[in-house]
Amino acid sequence: KDEGDKDKKKKRKHTAACREILRKLQAHEMATWFLFPVDPKVVPNYRKVIKKPIDFSTIENRLKKGRYKTAEGFMNEILMVFDNCRLFNEDDSPIGRAGHALRSYFDERWAELVRD
Ligand SMILES: Cc1ncccc1N[C@@H](C)c1cnc2ccsc2c1
């Protein structure tokens, strides 16, 4: 089995693990606000403030297309969802609190993935 095959196998393994984590995040009750792109018509100044809008459906499509070479590439985009949320929303607001709750939930799932 040449190097390439090993790499492909490893990529498939981490893609499956990342898809599992993403599925759990999307199923979380606090995920509502993060499932789909923020509509600039609904939130006018969002695109001015947030330079890298990202949401779980966009990440899911990239994962399906094999766009993430490493699990870290996937993790970075998940964390971007929460960084955007903290930048735009007050901590003491419904979306702000949801972002913090979901970020903690992600950290736990990620720690499991890295440990197992
Ligand atoms: C994640 C996020 N950050 C800043 C602004 C919006 C959003 N989410 C969108 C879906 C959204 C769009 N509209 C509403 C209306 C009430 S909460 C909510 C949430």
Side-chain angles (χ1 to χ4, degrees):
K1 300 200 41 87
D2 71 50
E3 213 42 48
D5 289 354
K6 263 209 290 268
D7 283 354
K8 274 197 218 69
K9 191 164 176 303
K10 218 162 66 165
K11 182 171 168 192
R12 268 198 306 275
K13 196 167 156 301
H14 84 239
T15 301
C18 291
R19 288 185 76 164
E20 185 47 35
I21 286 191
L22 182 60
R23 238 194 305 278
K24 288 197 171 85
L25 280 172
Q26 290 168 313
H28 195 287
E29 61 172 338
M30 294 286 178
T32 319
W33 316 124
F34 311 101
L35 294 175
F36 301 103
V38 177
D39 181 346
K41 288 191 293 301
V42 174
V43 188
N45 59 333
Y46 192 75
R47 294 261 186 251
K48 267 197 290 297
V49 174
I50 299 301
K51 298 307 166 205
K52 207 183 165 254
I54 186 88
D55 64 284
F56 294 152
S57 69
T58 303
I59 293 172
E60 183 178 358
N61 293 335
R62 290 179 185 170
L63 205 46
K64 278 183 182 153
K65 291 197 178 85
R67 292 282 164 80
Y68 299 115
K69 274 175 64 68
T70 64
E72 280 64 31
F74 162 81
M75 179 193 73
N76 289 333
E77 297 220 310
I78 293 284
L79 294 181
M80 184 61 73
V81 172
F82 301 126
D83 290 345
N84 290 347
C85 181
R86 288 178 58 178
L87 187 58
F88 196 87
N89 303 283
E90 292 295 319
D91 286 345
D92 187 19
S93 71
I95 308 184
R97 276 192 295 279
H100 283 293
L102 212 51
R103 165 72 200 260
S104 316
Y105 181 75
F106 172 72
D107 287 347
E108 288 156 16
R109 300 286 76 72
W110 188 260
E112 279 167 4
L113 172 104
V114 171
R115 186 179 53 238
D116 300 347

